[in-house]
């Protein structure tokens, strides 16, 4: 078995397991950690295909957005943050294992490429060729309809998230300006006549 094939199957196995754990983990913190591992592993597979731009974009955009996703989960599910802080150190073993897997993946992909263990099966291009330009040309010519469909789906997701977070709250202190205009002074306070008290 070639080294490239071994690395691909290794990364693919981790990606499948991490993806399954994202949807089966009951703890949202564990699910977010497995999601970080899944995105990082997918970027390693992109690196094997020598698509460095897509790999870096996957890490920067999606791994960075996982924290925002975790915040949405915390807000939507009304999770008790005090309980999460109490069990902070209980997440250390899982976080350490995921960090070690990420380091191993980086070592396999980058080290194998640096040492020349990968066979040059991917056709090489000239130095003046730009991966970003090629991706942009394909995205807006051959795949323009799936790109527009994805943008509509994302727009629907944004509108749905805003609609869910703007639900009416019980202890709302909002005031209506139209009602404030018609307020009269005698409706706001009342003067009481009380007899004076004398101290003995």
């Amino acid at each position: 078995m070639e080294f490239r094939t071994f690395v691909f199957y290794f990364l693919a196995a981790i990606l499948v397991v991490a993806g399954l754990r994202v949807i089966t983990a009951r703890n949202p913190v564990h699910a977010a950690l497995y999601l970080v591992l899944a995105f990082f592993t997918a970027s390693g597979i992109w690196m094997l295909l020598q698509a460095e731009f897509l790999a870096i974009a996957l890490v920067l955009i999606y791994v960075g957005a996982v924290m925002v996703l975790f915040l949405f989960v915390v807000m939507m599910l009304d999770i008790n943050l005090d309980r999460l802080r109490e069990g902070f150190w209980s997440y250390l073993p899982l976080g350490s294992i995921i960090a070690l897997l990420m380091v191993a993946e980086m070592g396999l992909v980058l080290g194998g490429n640096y040492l020349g263990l990968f066979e040059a099966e991917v056709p090489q291009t000239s130095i003046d060729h730009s991966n970003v330009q090629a991706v942009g040309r394909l995205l807006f010519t051959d795949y323009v309809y799936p790109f527009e469909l994805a943008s509509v789906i994302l727009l629907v997701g944004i509108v749905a998230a805003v609609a869910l977070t703007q639900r009416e709250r019980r202890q709302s202190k909002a005031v209506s300006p139209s009602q404030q205009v018609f307020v009269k002074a005698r409706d706001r306070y009342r003067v009481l006549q009380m007899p004076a008290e004398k101290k003995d």
Side-chain angles (χ1 to χ4, degrees):
M1 179 184 291
E2 298 176 353
F3 185 72
R4 180 189 295 271
T5 307
F6 167 74
V7 173
F8 171 75
Y9 282 121
F10 176 74
L11 296 179
I14 294 176
L15 182 58
V16 170
V17 172
L20 288 175
R21 288 299 296 155
V22 168
I23 60 175
T24 57
R26 293 188 175 184
N27 193 324
V29 178
H30 290 176
L33 289 174
Y34 281 115
L35 191 58
V36 170
L37 178 62
F39 287 143
F40 202 86
T41 307
S43 68
I45 294 177
W46 281 114
M47 289 288 289
L48 284 178
L49 296 174
Q50 296 181 359
E52 294 84 6
F53 170 73
L54 294 177
I56 296 300
L58 189 62
V59 171
L60 292 179
I61 297 172
Y62 287 99
V63 175
V66 162
M67 293 302 105
V68 178
L69 174 64
F70 174 66
L71 291 176
F72 271 114
V73 169
V74 170
M75 288 188 294
M76 294 294 182
L77 299 182
D78 195 18
I79 297 173
N80 190 355
L81 292 177
D82 294 331
R83 292 183 58 191
L84 288 179
R85 290 193 188 98
E86 289 175 1
F88 177 75
W89 292 106
S90 63
Y91 303 126
L92 184 61
L94 178 63
S96 302
I97 292 171
I98 290 177
L100 289 176
L101 279 174
M102 289 181 179
V103 171
E105 291 172 2
M106 283 194 304
L108 283 174
V109 175
L110 299 178
N113 196 13
Y114 180 75
L115 296 175
L117 298 175
F118 295 141
E119 294 75 15
E121 296 179 358
V122 179
Q124 301 294 324
T125 56
S126 60
I127 297 176
D128 58 347
H129 179 75
S130 174
N131 282 341
V132 181
Q133 184 178 4
V135 169
R137 183 179 293 113
L138 281 175
L139 192 62
F140 292 107
T141 54
D142 296 342
Y143 299 99
V144 64
Y145 292 120
F147 178 75
E148 293 295 331
L149 182 61
S151 65
V152 170
I153 292 174
L154 288 175
L155 179 62
V156 170
I158 292 171
V159 172
V162 171
L164 286 175
T165 55
Q166 293 297 323
R167 290 178 294 185
E168 185 177 355
R169 293 172 181 157
R170 295 178 181 175
Q171 297 179 351
S172 178
K173 295 184 179 180
V175 293
S176 175
S178 61
Q179 294 178 358
Q180 287 181 339
V181 173
F182 297 104
V183 168
K184 296 180 180 179
R186 64 175 178 269
D187 298 333
R188 289 298 183 179
Y189 66 90
R190 185 175 54 179
V191 178
L192 298 176
Q193 298 292 334
M194 297 181 64
E197 296 181 0
K198 297 180 180 181
K199 294 182 179 180
D200 295 336

